[in-house]
Amino acid sequence: MHVLLMGEIFFSEHDFYQELKATGFSIDRVGYDPQILSASRFYDYDMIIVELDALDKQFFATIKLLRSINDKLPMLVVSKKADVELKVQAFQAGVDDYVVIPFATQELLARCKAVLRRSDKVVADRIIKVDQLQINLETREVFVNGNIVRLTGKEYAILEMLILRRGVLISKITILNYLYPEGVDEPDMKIIDVFVCKLRKKLQNAGAGDLISTMWGQGYIFRQSNPAVKDNLHQA
């Protein structure tokens, strides 16, 4: 499950972030920025949660844009503003839920799960298949041609991050920040190359082909599908 958290309250020291991560969610965290919110339509998010100090016209326009593109994407707002008129405007724009700050972590988590259930996101997409590769996001197991592939925690985390945003370039710094949260001493950036190299080798040895492309000096892309596999199937 891939979630975008937008707002200062959601950074790593917050209980809700820790609870969400412990549940197994893949999380992107950014400060509030309407342009980033608008650009989120190019990513494969399962849910977007936005913290706002003020609900402005640009926010409502962006929400309407996202909703016009994907009418099932769960979107929640948390805000210190308890004004009924603002809540109504948010719902009319396409927000699924509106939670007033301060909130209880367990309540917000329960609201998220309720919204996900209504959108069928909890049931859907728990197993992702790309050619011979299959990943179970709930059990965190990886299979190639029906055979389990043993990955380390870091290797699995990278694979999950890439496959949830397949077709999108993921920078090394994004992967590094995901693997090593704030407050943890980060290793050299080269460690990402090592992890990806080992991950790619394990998948290839299992028969998955080369699904991870390297963009030198930039990062990595998980291919939508493996052309070599299609060629082999066609020849067969």
mmCIF file of all heavy atoms in Angstrom, residues 151-191:
data_model
loop_
_atom_site.group_PDB
_atom_site.id
_atom_site.type_symbol
_atom_site.label_atom_id
_atom_site.label_comp_id
_atom_site.label_asym_id
_atom_site.label_seq_id
_atom_site.Cartn_x
_atom_site.Cartn_y
_atom_site.Cartn_z
ATOM 1 N N LEU A 151 14.591 -12.713 0.185
ATOM 2 C CA LEU A 151 15.182 -11.376 0.162
ATOM 3 C C LEU A 151 15.424 -10.887 1.580
ATOM 4 O O LEU A 151 14.708 -11.266 2.511
ATOM 5 C CB LEU A 151 14.246 -10.384 -0.548
ATOM 6 C CG LEU A 151 13.853 -10.678 -1.996
ATOM 7 C CD1 LEU A 151 12.902 -9.597 -2.492
ATOM 8 C CD2 LEU A 151 15.084 -10.755 -2.890
ATOM 9 N N THR A 152 16.412 -10.033 1.731
ATOM 10 C CA THR A 152 16.619 -9.390 3.024
ATOM 11 C C THR A 152 15.556 -8.305 3.200
ATOM 12 O O THR A 152 14.839 -7.949 2.252
ATOM 13 C CB THR A 152 18.011 -8.750 3.103
ATOM 14 O OG1 THR A 152 18.075 -7.666 2.153
ATOM 15 C CG2 THR A 152 19.105 -9.764 2.782
ATOM 16 N N GLY A 153 15.455 -7.769 4.408
ATOM 17 C CA GLY A 153 14.478 -6.721 4.657
ATOM 18 C C GLY A 153 14.681 -5.501 3.771
ATOM 19 O O GLY A 153 13.718 -4.940 3.229
ATOM 20 N N LYS A 154 15.927 -5.104 3.597
ATOM 21 C CA LYS A 154 16.237 -3.942 2.762
ATOM 22 C C LYS A 154 15.935 -4.226 1.290
ATOM 23 O O LYS A 154 15.405 -3.374 0.582
ATOM 24 C CB LYS A 154 17.705 -3.555 2.950
ATOM 25 C CG LYS A 154 18.058 -3.007 4.339
ATOM 26 C CD LYS A 154 17.483 -1.633 4.539
ATOM 27 C CE LYS A 154 18.064 -0.950 5.784
ATOM 28 N NZ LYS A 154 17.686 -1.603 7.045
ATOM 29 N N GLU A 155 16.268 -5.417 0.831
ATOM 30 C CA GLU A 155 15.996 -5.779 -0.568
ATOM 31 C C GLU A 155 14.501 -5.791 -0.838
ATOM 32 O O GLU A 155 14.048 -5.284 -1.869
ATOM 33 C CB GLU A 155 16.610 -7.153 -0.871
ATOM 34 C CG GLU A 155 18.131 -7.155 -0.906
ATOM 35 C CD GLU A 155 18.722 -8.558 -0.869
ATOM 36 O OE1 GLU A 155 17.946 -9.541 -0.711
ATOM 37 O OE2 GLU A 155 19.955 -8.683 -0.978
ATOM 38 N N TYR A 156 13.729 -6.347 0.099
ATOM 39 C CA TYR A 156 12.281 -6.375 -0.088
ATOM 40 C C TYR A 156 11.716 -4.956 -0.111
ATOM 41 O O TYR A 156 10.848 -4.627 -0.938
ATOM 42 C CB TYR A 156 11.582 -7.177 1.001
ATOM 43 C CG TYR A 156 10.080 -7.097 0.861
ATOM 44 C CD1 TYR A 156 9.398 -7.949 -0.002
ATOM 45 C CD2 TYR A 156 9.353 -6.117 1.549
ATOM 46 C CE1 TYR A 156 8.032 -7.832 -0.182
ATOM 47 C CE2 TYR A 156 7.981 -5.991 1.362
ATOM 48 C CZ TYR A 156 7.333 -6.855 0.510
ATOM 49 O OH TYR A 156 5.979 -6.717 0.314
ATOM 50 N N ALA A 157 12.193 -4.114 0.805
ATOM 51 C CA ALA A 157 11.686 -2.735 0.880
ATOM 52 C C ALA A 157 11.934 -1.992 -0.428
ATOM 53 O O ALA A 157 11.069 -1.246 -0.908
ATOM 54 C CB ALA A 157 12.359 -1.999 2.042
ATOM 55 N N ILE A 158 13.111 -2.196 -1.022
ATOM 56 C CA ILE A 158 13.421 -1.545 -2.301
ATOM 57 C C ILE A 158 12.522 -2.084 -3.401
ATOM 58 O O ILE A 158 11.970 -1.317 -4.206
ATOM 59 C CB ILE A 158 14.899 -1.756 -2.669
ATOM 60 C CG1 ILE A 158 15.799 -0.992 -1.691
ATOM 61 C CG2 ILE A 158 15.181 -1.297 -4.102
ATOM 62 C CD1 ILE A 158 17.275 -1.263 -1.867
ATOM 63 N N LEU A 159 12.349 -3.409 -3.449
ATOM 64 C CA LEU A 159 11.502 -4.006 -4.477
ATOM 65 C C LEU A 159 10.069 -3.506 -4.358
ATOM 66 O O LEU A 159 9.436 -3.144 -5.360
ATOM 67 C CB LEU A 159 11.529 -5.530 -4.355
ATOM 68 C CG LEU A 159 10.598 -6.290 -5.319
ATOM 69 C CD1 LEU A 159 10.959 -5.993 -6.772
ATOM 70 C CD2 LEU A 159 10.653 -7.796 -5.049
ATOM 71 N N GLU A 160 9.541 -3.448 -3.148
ATOM 72 C CA GLU A 160 8.173 -2.984 -2.945
ATOM 73 C C GLU A 160 8.030 -1.532 -3.391
ATOM 74 O O GLU A 160 7.062 -1.166 -4.059
ATOM 75 C CB GLU A 160 7.774 -3.116 -1.478
ATOM 76 C CG GLU A 160 6.337 -2.689 -1.206
ATOM 77 C CD GLU A 160 5.976 -2.785 0.264
ATOM 78 O OE1 GLU A 160 6.277 -1.817 1.009
ATOM 79 O OE2 GLU A 160 5.393 -3.800 0.670
ATOM 80 N N MET A 161 8.999 -0.709 -3.032
ATOM 81 C CA MET A 161 8.948 0.697 -3.416
ATOM 82 C C MET A 161 8.961 0.859 -4.930
ATOM 83 O O MET A 161 8.199 1.651 -5.498
ATOM 84 C CB MET A 161 10.139 1.442 -2.801
ATOM 85 C CG MET A 161 10.160 2.925 -3.113
ATOM 86 S SD MET A 161 11.594 3.728 -2.377
ATOM 87 C CE MET A 161 10.821 5.147 -1.620
ATOM 88 N N LEU A 162 9.810 0.112 -5.603
ATOM 89 C CA LEU A 162 9.923 0.213 -7.058
ATOM 90 C C LEU A 162 8.688 -0.340 -7.761
ATOM 91 O O LEU A 162 8.199 0.249 -8.731
ATOM 92 C CB LEU A 162 11.172 -0.533 -7.538
ATOM 93 C CG LEU A 162 12.528 0.084 -7.165
ATOM 94 C CD1 LEU A 162 13.662 -0.854 -7.571
ATOM 95 C CD2 LEU A 162 12.713 1.446 -7.813
ATOM 96 N N ILE A 163 8.173 -1.469 -7.285
ATOM 97 C CA ILE A 163 7.062 -2.108 -7.986
ATOM 98 C C ILE A 163 5.758 -1.342 -7.786
ATOM 99 O O ILE A 163 4.874 -1.349 -8.639
ATOM 100 C CB ILE A 163 6.906 -3.583 -7.547
ATOM 101 C CG1 ILE A 163 6.158 -4.382 -8.633
ATOM 102 C CG2 ILE A 163 6.176 -3.708 -6.224
ATOM 103 C CD1 ILE A 163 6.196 -5.883 -8.411
ATOM 104 N N LEU A 164 5.620 -0.653 -6.646
ATOM 105 C CA LEU A 164 4.422 0.147 -6.417
ATOM 106 C C LEU A 164 4.413 1.403 -7.280
ATOM 107 O O LEU A 164 3.360 2.001 -7.504
ATOM 108 C CB LEU A 164 4.319 0.534 -4.935
ATOM 109 C CG LEU A 164 3.880 -0.584 -3.988
ATOM 110 C CD1 LEU A 164 3.982 -0.143 -2.537
ATOM 111 C CD2 LEU A 164 2.461 -1.036 -4.300
ATOM 112 N N ARG A 165 5.596 1.792 -7.749
ATOM 113 C CA ARG A 165 5.677 2.961 -8.634
ATOM 114 C C ARG A 165 6.352 2.563 -9.940
ATOM 115 O O ARG A 165 7.185 3.294 -10.467
ATOM 116 C CB ARG A 165 6.430 4.093 -7.944
ATOM 117 C CG ARG A 165 5.642 4.741 -6.838
ATOM 118 C CD ARG A 165 6.224 6.063 -6.425
ATOM 119 N NE ARG A 165 7.281 5.914 -5.459
ATOM 120 C CZ ARG A 165 7.970 6.929 -4.950
ATOM 121 N NH1 ARG A 165 7.720 8.153 -5.339
ATOM 122 N NH2 ARG A 165 8.926 6.726 -4.070
ATOM 123 N N ARG A 166 5.980 1.401 -10.443
ATOM 124 C CA ARG A 166 6.626 0.913 -11.651
ATOM 125 C C ARG A 166 6.397 1.880 -12.812
ATOM 126 O O ARG A 166 5.315 2.443 -12.971
ATOM 127 C CB ARG A 166 6.143 -0.495 -12.009
ATOM 128 C CG ARG A 166 4.659 -0.719 -12.000
ATOM 129 C CD ARG A 166 4.361 -2.216 -11.949
ATOM 130 N NE ARG A 166 2.940 -2.505 -11.924
ATOM 131 C CZ ARG A 166 2.206 -2.488 -10.818
ATOM 132 N NH1 ARG A 166 2.756 -2.176 -9.662
ATOM 133 N NH2 ARG A 166 0.914 -2.776 -10.858
ATOM 134 N N GLY A 167 7.472 2.045 -13.576
ATOM 135 C CA GLY A 167 7.435 2.987 -14.684
ATOM 136 C C GLY A 167 7.845 4.384 -14.297
ATOM 137 O O GLY A 167 7.956 5.261 -15.153
ATOM 138 N N VAL A 168 8.103 4.612 -12.993
ATOM 139 C CA VAL A 168 8.478 5.937 -12.497
ATOM 140 C C VAL A 168 9.915 5.891 -11.976
ATOM 141 O O VAL A 168 10.310 4.956 -11.280
ATOM 142 C CB VAL A 168 7.535 6.385 -11.365
ATOM 143 C CG1 VAL A 168 7.987 7.721 -10.777
ATOM 144 C CG2 VAL A 168 6.107 6.481 -11.867
ATOM 145 N N LEU A 169 10.708 6.900 -12.315
ATOM 146 C CA LEU A 169 12.090 6.977 -11.849
ATOM 147 C C LEU A 169 12.115 7.283 -10.359
ATOM 148 O O LEU A 169 11.540 8.270 -9.906
ATOM 149 C CB LEU A 169 12.840 8.068 -12.618
ATOM 150 C CG LEU A 169 14.274 8.376 -12.130
ATOM 151 C CD1 LEU A 169 15.185 7.176 -12.360
ATOM 152 C CD2 LEU A 169 14.811 9.618 -12.841
ATOM 153 N N ILE A 170 12.794 6.427 -9.584
ATOM 154 C CA ILE A 170 12.957 6.626 -8.153
ATOM 155 C C ILE A 170 14.425 6.961 -7.883
ATOM 156 O O ILE A 170 15.311 6.168 -8.210
ATOM 157 C CB ILE A 170 12.565 5.368 -7.339
ATOM 158 C CG1 ILE A 170 11.177 4.872 -7.760
ATOM 159 C CG2 ILE A 170 12.613 5.676 -5.853
ATOM 160 C CD1 ILE A 170 10.067 5.837 -7.504
ATOM 161 N N SER A 171 14.679 8.104 -7.303
ATOM 162 C CA SER A 171 16.053 8.532 -7.073
ATOM 163 C C SER A 171 16.691 7.750 -5.934
ATOM 164 O O SER A 171 16.001 7.213 -5.057
ATOM 165 C CB SER A 171 16.106 10.032 -6.743
ATOM 166 O OG SER A 171 15.501 10.288 -5.482
ATOM 167 N N LYS A 172 18.010 7.723 -5.927
ATOM 168 C CA LYS A 172 18.729 7.013 -4.873
ATOM 169 C C LYS A 172 18.484 7.653 -3.506
ATOM 170 O O LYS A 172 18.369 6.957 -2.496
ATOM 171 C CB LYS A 172 20.228 7.000 -5.187
ATOM 172 C CG LYS A 172 20.601 6.165 -6.398
ATOM 173 C CD LYS A 172 22.112 6.177 -6.617
ATOM 174 C CE LYS A 172 22.479 5.391 -7.864
ATOM 175 N NZ LYS A 172 23.945 5.387 -8.097
ATOM 176 N N ILE A 173 18.397 8.978 -3.481
ATOM 177 C CA ILE A 173 18.189 9.660 -2.202
ATOM 178 C C ILE A 173 16.817 9.333 -1.630
ATOM 179 O O ILE A 173 16.647 9.193 -0.415
ATOM 180 C CB ILE A 173 18.368 11.196 -2.359
ATOM 181 C CG1 ILE A 173 18.355 11.869 -0.981
ATOM 182 C CG2 ILE A 173 17.315 11.783 -3.260
ATOM 183 C CD1 ILE A 173 19.474 11.460 -0.074
ATOM 184 N N THR A 174 15.813 9.143 -2.510
ATOM 185 C CA THR A 174 14.477 8.759 -2.051
ATOM 186 C C THR A 174 14.518 7.376 -1.410
ATOM 187 O O THR A 174 13.919 7.142 -0.351
ATOM 188 C CB THR A 174 13.482 8.760 -3.224
ATOM 189 O OG1 THR A 174 13.370 10.083 -3.747
ATOM 190 C CG2 THR A 174 12.099 8.286 -2.776
ATOM 191 N N ILE A 175 15.227 6.454 -2.057
ATOM 192 C CA ILE A 175 15.352 5.097 -1.508
ATOM 193 C C ILE A 175 16.119 5.122 -0.189
ATOM 194 O O ILE A 175 15.739 4.467 0.784
ATOM 195 C CB ILE A 175 16.059 4.167 -2.514
ATOM 196 C CG1 ILE A 175 15.231 4.053 -3.797
ATOM 197 C CG2 ILE A 175 16.284 2.789 -1.907
ATOM 198 C CD1 ILE A 175 15.903 3.274 -4.906
ATOM 199 N N LEU A 176 17.193 5.915 -0.147
ATOM 200 C CA LEU A 176 18.012 6.000 1.069
ATOM 201 C C LEU A 176 17.189 6.526 2.239
ATOM 202 O O LEU A 176 17.243 5.972 3.348
ATOM 203 C CB LEU A 176 19.223 6.898 0.821
ATOM 204 C CG LEU A 176 20.293 6.912 1.923
ATOM 205 C CD1 LEU A 176 21.022 5.572 1.974
ATOM 206 C CD2 LEU A 176 21.290 8.045 1.687
ATOM 207 N N ASN A 177 16.415 7.575 2.000
ATOM 208 C CA ASN A 177 15.591 8.159 3.058
ATOM 209 C C ASN A 177 14.500 7.201 3.517
ATOM 210 O O ASN A 177 14.089 7.217 4.686
ATOM 211 C CB ASN A 177 14.961 9.474 2.584
ATOM 212 C CG ASN A 177 15.987 10.583 2.423
ATOM 213 O OD1 ASN A 177 17.053 10.550 3.029
ATOM 214 N ND2 ASN A 177 15.663 11.567 1.600
ATOM 215 N N TYR A 178 14.024 6.372 2.586
ATOM 216 C CA TYR A 178 12.997 5.398 2.939
ATOM 217 C C TYR A 178 13.566 4.269 3.799
ATOM 218 O O TYR A 178 12.933 3.820 4.761
ATOM 219 C CB TYR A 178 12.369 4.828 1.672
ATOM 220 C CG TYR A 178 11.329 3.763 1.923
ATOM 221 C CD1 TYR A 178 10.147 4.060 2.579
ATOM 222 C CD2 TYR A 178 11.535 2.450 1.495
ATOM 223 C CE1 TYR A 178 9.191 3.088 2.816
ATOM 224 C CE2 TYR A 178 10.586 1.472 1.721
ATOM 225 C CZ TYR A 178 9.418 1.793 2.381
ATOM 226 O OH TYR A 178 8.479 0.827 2.613
ATOM 227 N N LEU A 179 14.769 3.826 3.460
ATOM 228 C CA LEU A 179 15.393 2.720 4.194
ATOM 229 C C LEU A 179 15.922 3.146 5.552
ATOM 230 O O LEU A 179 15.929 2.349 6.503
ATOM 231 C CB LEU A 179 16.542 2.119 3.377
ATOM 232 C CG LEU A 179 16.185 1.428 2.054
ATOM 233 C CD1 LEU A 179 17.439 0.885 1.398
ATOM 234 C CD2 LEU A 179 15.164 0.327 2.268
ATOM 235 N N TYR A 180 16.353 4.403 5.648
ATOM 236 C CA TYR A 180 16.963 4.902 6.881
ATOM 237 C C TYR A 180 16.236 6.162 7.323
ATOM 238 O O TYR A 180 16.555 7.262 6.866
ATOM 239 C CB TYR A 180 18.450 5.185 6.659
ATOM 240 C CG TYR A 180 19.227 3.956 6.243
ATOM 241 C CD1 TYR A 180 19.438 3.673 4.892
ATOM 242 C CD2 TYR A 180 19.716 3.060 7.188
ATOM 243 C CE1 TYR A 180 20.124 2.525 4.504
ATOM 244 C CE2 TYR A 180 20.407 1.917 6.805
ATOM 245 C CZ TYR A 180 20.609 1.662 5.462
ATOM 246 O OH TYR A 180 21.294 0.531 5.071
ATOM 247 N N PRO A 181 15.247 6.020 8.225
ATOM 248 C CA PRO A 181 14.448 7.164 8.666
ATOM 249 C C PRO A 181 15.300 8.214 9.376
ATOM 250 O O PRO A 181 16.455 7.976 9.736
ATOM 251 C CB PRO A 181 13.446 6.532 9.650
ATOM 252 C CG PRO A 181 13.467 5.075 9.358
ATOM 253 C CD PRO A 181 14.834 4.762 8.853
ATOM 254 N N GLU A 182 14.686 9.383 9.577
ATOM 255 C CA GLU A 182 15.364 10.455 10.287
ATOM 256 C C GLU A 182 15.761 9.989 11.676
ATOM 257 O O GLU A 182 15.032 9.283 12.354
ATOM 258 C CB GLU A 182 14.443 11.669 10.394
ATOM 259 C CG GLU A 182 14.108 12.301 9.063
ATOM 260 C CD GLU A 182 13.119 13.433 9.207
ATOM 261 O OE1 GLU A 182 13.037 13.998 10.316
ATOM 262 O OE2 GLU A 182 12.434 13.744 8.226
ATOM 263 N N GLY A 183 16.935 10.400 12.133
ATOM 264 C CA GLY A 183 17.435 10.001 13.434
ATOM 265 C C GLY A 183 18.346 8.792 13.366
ATOM 266 O O GLY A 183 19.013 8.443 14.334
ATOM 267 N N VAL A 184 18.377 8.132 12.216
ATOM 268 C CA VAL A 184 19.258 6.975 12.016
ATOM 269 C C VAL A 184 20.423 7.412 11.126
ATOM 270 O O VAL A 184 20.231 8.085 10.122
ATOM 271 C CB VAL A 184 18.504 5.813 11.333
ATOM 272 C CG1 VAL A 184 19.438 4.645 11.068
ATOM 273 C CG2 VAL A 184 17.321 5.381 12.188
ATOM 274 N N ASP A 185 21.621 7.052 11.534
ATOM 275 C CA ASP A 185 22.793 7.419 10.749
ATOM 276 C C ASP A 185 22.722 6.762 9.378
ATOM 277 O O ASP A 185 22.659 5.543 9.259
ATOM 278 C CB ASP A 185 24.078 6.976 11.466
ATOM 279 C CG ASP A 185 24.331 7.779 12.739
ATOM 280 O OD1 ASP A 185 23.827 8.913 12.803
ATOM 281 O OD2 ASP A 185 25.016 7.273 13.639
ATOM 282 N N GLU A 186 22.733 7.589 8.347
ATOM 283 C CA GLU A 186 22.635 7.079 6.989
ATOM 284 C C GLU A 186 24.007 6.652 6.478
ATOM 285 O O GLU A 186 24.986 7.363 6.669
ATOM 286 C CB GLU A 186 22.046 8.135 6.056
ATOM 287 C CG GLU A 186 20.602 8.473 6.330
ATOM 288 C CD GLU A 186 20.064 9.459 5.310
ATOM 289 O OE1 GLU A 186 20.868 9.961 4.503
ATOM 290 O OE2 GLU A 186 18.849 9.713 5.330
ATOM 291 N N PRO A 187 24.103 5.499 5.813
ATOM 292 C CA PRO A 187 25.357 5.078 5.205
ATOM 293 C C PRO A 187 25.610 5.863 3.927
ATOM 294 O O PRO A 187 24.800 6.704 3.532
ATOM 295 C CB PRO A 187 25.124 3.596 4.912
ATOM 296 C CG PRO A 187 23.641 3.507 4.693
ATOM 297 C CD PRO A 187 23.036 4.516 5.618
ATOM 298 N N ASP A 188 26.711 5.565 3.281
ATOM 299 C CA ASP A 188 27.015 6.217 2.008
ATOM 300 C C ASP A 188 25.977 5.823 0.952
ATOM 301 O O ASP A 188 25.437 4.715 0.963
ATOM 302 C CB ASP A 188 28.415 5.790 1.543
ATOM 303 C CG ASP A 188 28.888 6.590 0.344
ATOM 304 O OD1 ASP A 188 28.526 6.218 -0.791
ATOM 305 O OD2 ASP A 188 29.604 7.583 0.543
ATOM 306 N N MET A 189 25.716 6.742 0.036
ATOM 307 C CA MET A 189 24.727 6.515 -1.018
ATOM 308 C C MET A 189 25.031 5.257 -1.838
ATOM 309 O O MET A 189 24.125 4.626 -2.387
ATOM 310 C CB MET A 189 24.682 7.731 -1.945
ATOM 311 C CG MET A 189 23.575 7.697 -2.971
ATOM 312 S SD MET A 189 22.000 8.214 -2.314
ATOM 313 C CE MET A 189 22.317 9.974 -2.101
ATOM 314 N N LYS A 190 26.300 4.877 -1.899
ATOM 315 C CA LYS A 190 26.684 3.713 -2.698
ATOM 316 C C LYS A 190 26.057 2.420 -2.205
ATOM 317 O O LYS A 190 25.988 1.438 -2.946
ATOM 318 C CB LYS A 190 28.208 3.583 -2.720
ATOM 319 C CG LYS A 190 28.923 4.712 -3.460
ATOM 320 C CD LYS A 190 30.427 4.531 -3.431
ATOM 321 C CE LYS A 190 31.142 5.659 -4.164
ATOM 322 N NZ LYS A 190 32.618 5.522 -4.105
ATOM 323 N N ILE A 191 25.595 2.420 -0.949
ATOM 324 C CA ILE A 191 24.989 1.207 -0.414
ATOM 325 C C ILE A 191 23.718 0.850 -1.179
ATOM 326 O O ILE A 191 23.364 -0.325 -1.305
ATOM 327 C CB ILE A 191 24.663 1.372 1.089
ATOM 328 C CG1 ILE A 191 24.326 0.020 1.725
ATOM 329 C CG2 ILE A 191 23.530 2.351 1.305
ATOM 330 C CD1 ILE A 191 25.467 -0.962 1.761
#
